């Protein structure tokens, strides 16, 4: 029970890495708010967790809407009494993964709104409640594509780079209040987001070939890293970037 007594919000908590995190957090004793735009999946995961003896509730949250962040944080505190952990996992990929000259301005704005502004708003609205509890842990899901470049996905790279540095800035801004902020940088992971891409044999083989450990990641590989950062085991860790990529960016 590595999160016993803790209350957590997981944005994007109904799918992929967020789903694995919601389930693992509940297994480890946290009370979990699964916050997503996917109502059907969110409700199903809430049922699974509660039927298994855990504590979880689904809340609809579009991370780009500040009023919804305010409401979800308020509802979390009304229901569970406090807020200890926020995982900002909601994200979208850039359709077609365009290089810079093919990236439309509208497409850029759409990706930045979810992946960068959505994370900023999650941090902004977590801070006041964490301050009341005397501290907390915020985990922002970036990507290895926030650290290194690739042939496409211009707006995605920019959004994930923004998450990386924003997390460090917030870590410094709130360290003296015991609020820790870290980023997590997954490599290539099989999730609903990557299903279309990873089911193309050429892409799959290329990505596995670039990964020294020789396989795709699974959501649980990332969730265990997030669990560490959420728990008190990482109480001396802030402003760090946890790369979980099978060795891809070590080369
Ligand atoms: P996923 O399975 O698609 O999960 C993302 C969840 O976020 C989905 O339920 C999605 O709903 C939801 N979402 C999308 N827009 C939202 C919004 N505006 N407000 C609230 N929720 C929203 O993807 P994933 O692969 O687990 O990705 C999770 C995070 O890891 C993302 O930030 C992603 O960029 C990052 N990441 C993933 C990989 C990878 O290889 N999978 C690698 C590096 C980083 P819909 O399905 O309805 O859109």
């Amino acid at each position: 029970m590595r999160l016993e007594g803790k209350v957590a919000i997981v944005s994007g908590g109904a799918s992929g890495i967020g789903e694995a995190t919601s389930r693992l957090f509940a297994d480890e004793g946290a009370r979990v708010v699964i916050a997503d735009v996917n109502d059907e999946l969110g409700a199903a995961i809430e049922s699974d967790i509660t039927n298994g003896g855990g504590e979880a509730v689904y809340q609809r949250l579009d991370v780009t809407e500040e009023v919804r962040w305010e409401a979800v944080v308020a509802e979390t505190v009304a229901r569970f009494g406090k807020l200890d952990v926020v995982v900002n996992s909601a994200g979208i990929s850039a359709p077609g993964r365009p290089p810079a000259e093919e990236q439309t301005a509208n497409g850029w704005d759409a990706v930045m709104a979810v992946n960068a502004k959505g994370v900023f708003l999650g941090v902004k609205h977590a801070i006041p409640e964490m301050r009341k509890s005397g501290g907390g842990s915020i985990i922002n899901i970036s990507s290895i594509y926030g650290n290194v470049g690739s042939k496409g996905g211009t707006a995605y790279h920019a959004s994930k780079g923004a998450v990386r540095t924003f997390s460090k800035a917030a870590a410094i801004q709130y360290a003296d209040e015991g609020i820790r902020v870290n980023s997590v940088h997954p490599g290539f992971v099989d999730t609903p987001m990557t299903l279309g891409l990873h089911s193309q044999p050429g892409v799959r083989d290329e990505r596995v070939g670039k990964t020294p450990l020789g396989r795709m990641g699974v959501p649980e590989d990332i969730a265990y890293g997030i669990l560490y950062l959420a728990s008190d085991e990482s109480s001396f860790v802030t402003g760090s970037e946890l790369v979980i990529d099978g060795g891809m960016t070590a080369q």
Side-chain angles (χ1 to χ4, degrees), residues 44-87:
I45 295 160
E46 176 193 315
S47 296
D48 265 10
I49 291 174
T50 51
N51 291 340
E55 270 195 84
V57 65
Y58 172 69
Q59 290 277 322
R60 185 174 180 82
L61 170 69
D62 180 336
V63 294
T64 67
E65 292 178 9
E66 187 158 21
V67 288
R68 284 305 301 152
W69 268 112
E70 287 168 346
V72 169
V73 168
E75 284 160 28
T76 300
V77 173
R79 187 179 183 106
F80 295 130
K82 60 176 182 158
L83 178 62
D84 302 299
V85 176
V86 170
V87 179

Side-chain angles (χ1 to χ4, degrees), residues 97-155:
R97 307 178 60 245
E101 67 175 336
E102 290 164 27
Q103 174 70 62
T104 65
N106 284 346
W108 170 279
D109 288 346
V111 170
M112 293 299 282
V114 178
N115 294 4
K117 186 172 98 174
V119 170
F120 150 64
L121 290 175
V123 171
K124 175 180 174 180
H125 291 286
I127 297 290
E129 287 304 329
M130 290 182 172
R131 177 178 291 125
K132 287 182 202 162
S133 312
S137 176
I138 299 172
I139 301 107
N140 296 328
I141 311 307
S142 175
S143 167
I144 52 169
Y145 282 173
N147 300 32
V148 299
S150 74
K151 289 272 191 189
T154 303

Side-chain angles (χ1 to χ4, degrees), residues 8 19 29 65 94 105 107 109 122 133 152 156-157 177 206 209 211 215 219 222 235:
E19 175 188 352
E65 292 178 9
D109 288 346
S133 312
Y156 188 81
H157 277 286
E177 299 191 82
E206 186 205 345
T211 303
R215 66 167 174 89
I222 314 305
S235 62

